Amino acid sequence: MGAPTGTGNQGRTLDRALDVLECLERARGPLRLSEIARESDLHLATTQRTVNQLVRRGYIQQDGLGYSLGPVILSLAHAFVVNDRLSTVATPILTELSASTGLTSSLFVRSGPERILVARVDGVDPLRYQFPIGRRVPLDLGGGKVLLAHDDDAELDAYLADLPDARLADGRVQTPADLRAELDRIRETGYHLAESERELGALSLTRPVPGHDGGAAAAINLVTTAETTTPEELLALLPEISRAAGAIGARI
Amino acid sequence: MGAPTGTGNQGRTLDRALDVLECLERARGPLRLSEIARESDLHLATTQRTVNQLVRRGYIQQDGLGYSLGPVILSLAHAFVVNDRLSTVATPILTELSASTGLTSSLFVRSGPERILVARVDGVDPLRYQFPIGRRVPLDLGGGKVLLAHDDDAELDAYLADLPDARLADGRVQTPADLRAELDRIRETGYHLAESERELGALSLTRPVPGHDGGAAAAINLVTTAETTTPEELLALLPEISRAAGAIGARI
DNA sequence: CACCTTCTATCATTCAGTGATAGTTACTAT
DNA sequence: ATAGTAACTATCACTGAATGATAGAAGGTG
């Protein structure tokens, strides 16, 4: 409690404020001041000052039940969607991809140990499981793997070091070693076909979006269900999705 | 430049960071470090530290052209949309309202001297002018007036004091005195019918959403165009929109 | 090769953030 | 009513983190 935040103590104030915001992001409902303090591991007084300041600015709102994120967040998000180069470039290409394949397509980018869905275009048969824009999910399941595959070995080892076993949606258990093997395969083939990893019955085919530096900060995928599509049928769309990924990469 | 930020100097660090974010929100493209420093009136070194920290956290991203908002913003926005009581309560009611009237309906909340569009449900004939979710607009034009009307006189006078004349979309000029008179009318009638204020040819009918405290932090409106609807026809929907506003107010 | 811009790194100073504590308000239970 | 509890606010001395002036590295341009 009394100990330093842990990161290394520099730029403390701002980091703490962002911790507070992200603590409210994770919350499933309004949080009390004391709950925020506990969750973010801050002194109550510090929490109070920070929260009040964010309230004043509209980043947090308060009601009788506690504090939650405020509407100003939406303004920022709007500005992001309108301005983001990747997002604006990708949307028409994804639209085309979804039109020609009939499947839902989406674009996500890496953010630390997670990926964030940045854009999505629905297919003709809407998926029962709607993956919402802005959603954060870990990298070790589904399409996130193609982003991991582009890490160099040092980063990868660091990531895998303290990674717990993952339980896939169909019950399989994925150990870090399993993941490592799969990433090696992805490094060779350049794509990933996921079956029931994040969601039971979901199939996805993912390709990285090449950046100038050779890395892949983004990826796109096509999603469908095992009921309507076989893995082979989905894999047959590899040329299409690859073309789209290339087109996006070329324009950023 | 060297002078204090202006607010009164407390909670400086965080305020400055938010200034940086909002400066990027207003920007129409990537900004260089020096531009951010100039826009937010900060020392370059301070700007650098702040920006780098926000980059590390994913709130800002950097490309060859400069800095812009980052994808983590989207995550926060997603959490807001999912959790926000007002937003989730209002959406189904707006859906019903749009279904029964055939018009686009929307919900916005106040944020300082502006309002922010929080939810929108499109009508049968989609408007050519799409008002995007998260968009910030001033309070002195269109539906924002019903929010202003709920301020007490002291707040109102302060607001009107340094308000410049506004130019409506159809060319009319609205002085603070005009606005004041209109707000008095709204206080009596409880609604506002706007014609070509923000957008030429647009008609909107706005009602406040009553809060527990008697105030109105939110409002909903119906939007259409002069081509398809007369003011009288729109005004005839007042009972409908009032019912919807009441229903939302009752559930928060 | 000199020039300019962008961004990064360093460091002494000092002032803003910190956190312990006390106070206020409001609600619940008895 | 009265005590008790929880949520939030306010105060203030201390100190260490943010500050900003300056110098430096990296990258491009005429």
Side-chain angles (χ1 to χ4, degrees):
Chain A
M1 289 288 179
T5 317
T7 45
N9 259 6
Q10 204 195 14
R12 196 163 54 155
T13 312
L14 177 50
D15 261 332
R16 287 176 165 184
L18 301 183
D19 285 343
V20 166
L21 283 178
E22 290 172 21
C23 146
L24 288 174
E25 179 192 336
R26 285 188 303 273
R28 303 165 318 291
L31 254 49
R32 289 307 194 178
L33 202 51
S34 56
E35 295 178 298
I36 298 175
R38 184 161 11 93
E39 289 287 317
S40 346
D41 196 38
L42 295 177
H43 189 104
L44 183 65
T46 305
T47 309
Q48 192 225 140
R49 250 176 291 119
T50 306
V51 166
N52 280 347
Q53 213 161 343
L54 289 168
V55 167
R56 243 172 272 141
R57 290 290 217 124
Y59 288 72
I60 289 181
Q61 61 189 167
Q62 182 178 18
D63 62 18
L65 298 158
Y67 299 91
S68 47
L69 294 176
V72 167
I73 302 287
L74 271 190
S75 307
L76 292 180
H78 172 241
F80 171 82
V81 169
V82 169
N83 287 318
D84 187 53
R85 177 99 187 120
L86 181 61
S87 180
T88 51
V89 160
T91 301
I93 295 176
L94 292 182
T95 303
E96 204 183 340
L97 182 61
S98 282
S100 70
T101 62
L103 304 181
T104 295
S105 62
S106 54
L107 166 78
F108 50 87
V109 300
R110 177 166 194 173
S111 175
E114 298 167 316
R115 56 181 164 124
I116 298 174
L117 184 73
V118 170
R120 191 193 71 214
V121 176
D122 289 324
V124 281
D125 16 78
L127 295 173
R128 137 177 47 102
Y129 169 67
Q130 287 280 29
F131 202 94
I133 287 179
R135 175 78 178 275
R136 290 203 215 206
V137 289
L139 289 172
D140 63 341
L141 289 183
K145 290 173 180 172
V146 307
L147 297 179
L148 273 179
H150 279 74
D151 278 4
D152 56 43
D153 286 326
E155 292 172 300
L156 208 49
D157 290 338
Y159 174 82
L160 292 170
D162 43 24
L163 187 72
D165 289 359
R167 183 174 204 86
L168 307 193
D170 61 1
R172 282 174 294 163
V173 170
Q174 181 187 67
T175 68
D178 293 337
L179 178 57
R180 181 63 209 244
E182 197 154 25
L183 294 181
D184 283 335
R185 191 165 65 238
I186 294 174
R187 282 174 171 182
E188 287 177 28
T189 62
Y191 69 85
H192 179 55
L193 178 64
E195 302 182 48
S196 295
E197 292 191 14
R198 278 199 41 78
E199 193 71 16
L200 190 60
L203 286 177
S204 73
L205 178 63
T206 309
R207 280 281 291 170
V209 172
H212 310 111
D213 53 352
I220 61 173
N221 63 15
L222 285 169
V223 190
T224 181
T225 69
E227 300 164 14
T228 61
T229 319
T230 67
E232 292 73 27
E233 287 169 341
L234 183 56
L235 194 51
L237 298 173
L238 187 58
E240 290 235 40
I241 193 172
S242 298
R243 206 180 318 127
I248 295 170
R251 296 184 201 176
I252 51 175
Chain B
M1 290 286 181
T5 317
T7 45
N9 259 5
Q10 205 196 13
R12 196 163 54 154
T13 312
L14 178 50
D15 261 333
R16 286 176 165 184
L18 300 182
D19 285 343
V20 166
L21 283 178
E22 290 173 20
C23 146
L24 288 174
E25 178 192 336
R26 286 187 301 273
R28 303 166 318 291
L31 255 48
R32 310 245 68 143
L33 204 49
S34 56
E35 295 178 299
I36 299 175
R38 182 161 14 91
E39 289 287 318
S40 344
D41 196 39
L42 295 176
H43 189 102
L44 182 65
T46 304
T47 309
Q48 194 225 135
R49 252 177 291 119
T50 306
V51 167
N52 280 346
Q53 214 162 341
L54 289 168
V55 168
R56 244 172 272 139
R57 291 289 218 125
Y59 289 71
I60 289 181
Q61 62 189 164
Q62 182 179 19
D63 63 17
L65 299 158
Y67 300 90
S68 47
L69 294 176
V72 167
I73 302 287
L74 271 191
S75 308
L76 292 180
H78 170 241
F80 171 82
V81 169
V82 169
N83 288 318
D84 186 53
R85 176 99 188 122
L86 181 61
S87 179
T88 51
V89 160
T91 301
I93 295 174
L94 291 183
T95 303
E96 204 183 340
L97 182 61
S98 282
S100 71
T101 63
L103 304 181
T104 295
S105 63
S106 54
L107 166 78
F108 50 87
V109 299
R110 177 167 193 171
S111 175
E114 299 167 317
R115 57 183 164 122
I116 299 175
L117 184 73
V118 170
R120 192 194 69 216
V121 176
D122 289 324
V124 282
D125 18 76
L127 296 172
R128 134 177 50 101
Y129 169 67
Q130 286 281 29
F131 202 93
I133 288 179
R135 175 78 178 274
R136 290 202 217 208
V137 290
L139 289 173
D140 63 341
L141 289 184
K145 290 173 181 172
V146 306
L147 297 180
L148 273 178
H150 280 74
D151 277 4
D152 56 44
D153 286 327
E155 292 173 300
L156 208 49
D157 289 339
Y159 173 84
L160 292 170
D162 42 24
L163 187 73
D165 288 358
R167 183 173 204 86
L168 306 193
D170 60 2
R172 281 173 293 163
V173 169
Q174 180 188 66
T175 68
D178 294 336
L179 178 57
R180 181 64 209 242
E182 198 153 24
L183 294 182
D184 284 334
R185 191 165 65 239
I186 295 174
R187 282 173 170 183
E188 287 177 27
T189 62
Y191 69 86
H192 179 55
L193 177 65
E195 302 182 47
S196 294
E197 292 192 15
R198 279 199 41 77
E199 194 71 16
L200 190 61
L203 286 178
S204 72
L205 178 63
T206 308
R207 279 282 291 171
V209 173
H212 312 111
D213 54 351
I220 61 174
N221 63 14
L222 284 169
V223 190
T224 182
T225 69
E227 299 164 13
T228 61
T229 318
T230 67
E232 292 72 27
E233 287 168 341
L234 183 56
L235 195 51
L237 298 173
L238 187 58
E240 290 236 38
I241 194 172
S242 298
R243 207 179 317 129
I248 294 171
R251 296 185 199 175
I252 50 175

